[in-house]
Amino acid sequence: MSKDKKKESNQKQELSEWQKRNQEYLKKKAEEEAALAEEKEKEKQARKEANSKLLEESKKSSSESDEEASSTSEEPSKKEEKSQKEAPKVKEEKEKKKKEKPKKPEKPKIAPVHIWRAVSILVPSLLILLLSVYLLTPLSTIKNIEVKGNSNTQADDIKQASGIQDSDYTLALLLDKETYAERIKSNHWIESAKIDYQFPTNFTIEVKEFDIVGYYVSGEEHYPILSSGTVESTPIDRLNLPETYLTVTFNDEQQVKELIKGLSTISEDIKSQIQKIELAPSKATADLLKITMLDTDEILVPLSELSKKLPYYSKIKPQLSEPSVVDMEAGVYSYTIADKLIEEAEEKAKQEAKEAEKKKQEEEKKKQEEQGNLSQTSQQSQSR
């Protein structure tokens, strides 16, 4: 026996790794087959038990049906009554079942996240599509434009200054109203402008014009001077002139702007009394102004000091008993126009006397020259 065991142990030692794995695989397979056979046996026994139970139940039900049949034969009248009572109920139940439709299976609900994602894509796409279609139609350029606040300018001139074209998109005008309104101020009459929108295609251009401060007079033509200091190049019809107005006899752009700037600080009480402003330069003051008032008073004041000195006239005026000249060139003092006329007459007489004297001297000089020429000619003739 010991020899056989040794041989077996030697054989085991001599087995290769593959053979060992094969033996293990065969053992596992045999075990699995045995387990499957046991499961099949258990299933067969379970089927047999279930069949036996069904046979027993069928026997019991047949016995019960026999008993019921016997009872029905004994009491047919009672069963008929029951069947008659139960018949309408059965019919009603059948009708209800027919009316009741079979419920459809509920569809699976979509998560709110997916709905919002779809909306965020579809809505902008739909808006872009509608906008594209709108821009391709003639409706996109329809504009009804009304101008308000203009009295000295034409509505067409204001529209032209705005740069609004019939071919411009209505949406572009709506989104860039401020730019178009700023362009309107290129018209020298316009101080400010704004554009209002009314749905669907109505626009209102509301403008404010510069005030007319006075009129530059050249001959019989009157050119408006605006509060901006600009002199209008087109004369106004004399029939449209107000009853009282300020006239200016010079139109130098820089001087007019300086004049309007100075007058803007003067009270309306003084400005309303001014009739005419003209340049009256003296040897000391090149920009001296002569301002004639409605009551014939005259004010001499430098243009550069207009806003500083002219307000003093309101204090001096109550002290004047007759038309006077208020001289503000160097200081501030006044004298009557009569005195001025006398002084001017005296100066004129002096000037005329000087001119007469000068003329007389020139005539005497000419006589002397003529006498000298005659004496020279006589001497030359005698020497010959």
Side-chain angles (χ1 to χ4, degrees):
M1 291 291 288
S2 62
K3 288 179 181 180
D4 294 333
K5 288 179 180 178
K6 284 179 181 179
K7 285 180 181 180
E8 289 176 0
S9 61
N10 290 329
Q11 287 175 356
K12 286 180 182 178
Q13 288 175 359
E14 290 174 0
L15 292 172
S16 63
E17 290 182 3
W18 181 85
Q19 289 173 341
K20 289 177 182 179
R21 289 176 185 173
N22 190 25
Q23 284 182 356
E24 288 176 2
Y25 171 72
L26 292 171
K27 282 181 183 179
K28 286 181 182 179
K29 193 174 182 181
E31 289 173 359
E32 287 176 358
E33 287 176 354
L36 287 169
E38 286 178 5
E39 287 178 2
K40 286 179 180 178
E41 285 294 327
K42 286 179 182 179
E43 286 178 359
K44 284 179 182 180
Q45 288 177 2
R47 284 175 186 171
K48 286 179 181 178
E49 289 175 1
N51 290 328
S52 62
K53 285 181 182 180
L54 288 170
L55 288 169
E56 288 175 1
E57 288 176 358
S58 61
K59 287 177 182 179
K60 286 180 183 179
S61 61
S62 61
S63 62
E64 287 175 358
S65 62
D66 292 337
E67 288 175 1
E68 286 177 359
S70 62
S71 64
T72 52
S73 61
E74 289 174 357
E75 298 177 354
S77 60
K78 289 181 181 179
K79 205 165 188 180
E80 287 175 0
E81 289 176 1
K82 285 181 181 179
S83 63
Q84 287 175 359
K85 288 179 181 179
E86 289 176 359
K89 291 181 180 178
V90 172
K91 286 181 179 179
E92 288 178 1
E93 287 177 359
K94 286 181 179 179
E95 288 176 357
K96 285 181 181 178
K97 286 179 181 178
K98 286 180 182 179
K99 289 178 180 179
E100 288 178 358
K101 293 180 179 178
K103 292 182 179 178
K104 293 181 180 179
E106 292 182 357
K107 293 181 180 179
K109 292 182 178 179
I110 301 170
V113 177
H114 299 304
I115 294 170
W116 283 112
R117 283 177 183 172
V119 169
S120 64
I121 294 168
L122 290 173
V123 170
S125 301
L126 182 61
L127 290 173
I128 291 167
L129 177 63
L130 291 173
L131 180 62
S132 302
V133 172
Y134 168 72
L135 293 174
L136 291 171
T137 62
L139 295 172
S140 60
T141 59
I142 293 175
K143 299 178 289 295
N144 299 317
I145 300 172
E146 183 183 2
V147 179
K148 290 184 178 179
N150 59 311
S151 58
N152 295 299
T153 50
Q154 298 296 323
D156 291 339
D157 293 338
I158 291 171
K159 290 178 185 177
Q160 188 177 359
S162 69
I164 300 170
Q165 303 293 328
D166 293 337
S167 59
D168 290 343
Y169 288 117
T170 307
L171 189 60
L173 176 57
L174 176 62
L175 296 175
D176 207 11
K177 293 187 296 181
E178 289 76 12
T179 302
Y180 286 100
E182 192 66 24
R183 289 177 186 171
I184 295 170
K185 295 199 299 187
S186 63
N187 186 314
H188 63 271
W189 276 98
I190 306 303
E191 183 177 0
S192 63
K194 67 174 183 175
I195 300 174
D196 295 323
Y197 169 72
Q198 296 87 33
F199 184 84
T201 57
N202 298 320
F203 292 88
T204 303
I205 300 175
E206 195 166 345
V207 298
K208 181 185 177 185
E209 296 178 337
F210 285 109
D211 296 327
I212 297 175
V213 179
Y215 296 88
Y216 162 64
V217 179
S218 177
E220 295 184 356
E221 302 292 350
H222 290 67
Y223 300 85
I225 300 173
L226 309 183
S227 56
S228 61
T230 302
V231 180
E232 171 63 24
S233 58
T234 306
I236 194 170
D237 190 347
R238 297 191 68 179
L239 296 174
N240 296 328
L241 289 170
E243 291 183 4
T244 58
Y245 54 89
L246 184 152
T247 61
V248 178
T249 59
F250 56 92
N251 67 342
D252 181 77
E253 184 178 353
Q254 189 60 39
Q255 288 179 329
V256 170
K257 284 187 176 180
E258 193 174 350
L259 173 66
I260 299 304
K261 185 179 178 182
L263 288 175
S264 65
T265 62
I266 306 302
S267 66
E268 286 297 325
D269 183 41
I270 295 175
K271 283 195 289 187
S272 62
Q273 297 178 51
I274 299 174
Q275 182 179 16
K276 185 168 70 171
I277 301 176
E278 52 191 318
L279 280 172
S282 64
K283 292 178 181 180
T285 310
D287 64 344
L288 187 66
L289 297 178
K290 177 184 174 183
I291 301 174
T292 305
M293 311 300 282
L294 291 172
D295 59 0
T296 67
D297 282 345
E298 293 179 2
I299 302 170
L300 298 174
V301 59
L303 176 59
S304 57
E305 298 180 293
L306 182 68
S307 58
K308 180 181 177 182
K309 291 187 173 182
L310 189 57
Y312 288 111
Y313 176 72
S314 58
K315 296 178 180 179
I316 297 169
K317 176 61 180 172
Q319 302 173 12
L320 303 176
S321 57
E322 55 183 303
S324 303
V325 176
V326 180
D327 195 334
M328 300 179 178
E329 183 178 2
V332 178
Y333 63 96
S334 63
Y335 49 88
T336 63
I337 289 178
D339 294 339
K340 179 191 172 186
L341 292 172
I342 293 168
E343 185 178 350
E344 287 178 353
E346 289 176 353
E347 286 181 0
K348 190 177 180 181
K350 287 179 182 178
Q351 189 69 26
E352 288 176 352
K354 284 181 181 179
E355 289 178 357
E357 183 67 25
K358 188 177 179 181
K359 192 176 181 181
K360 187 179 179 181
Q361 288 176 356
E362 288 176 354
E363 287 177 352
E364 288 178 355
K365 190 175 181 181
K366 282 181 180 180
K367 286 179 180 180
Q368 288 176 359
E369 287 176 355
E370 288 175 356
Q371 288 176 358
N373 291 331
L374 288 171
S375 61
Q376 284 178 1
T377 53
S378 61
Q379 286 176 2
Q380 287 174 0
S381 61
Q382 285 176 3
S383 61
R384 284 178 186 176

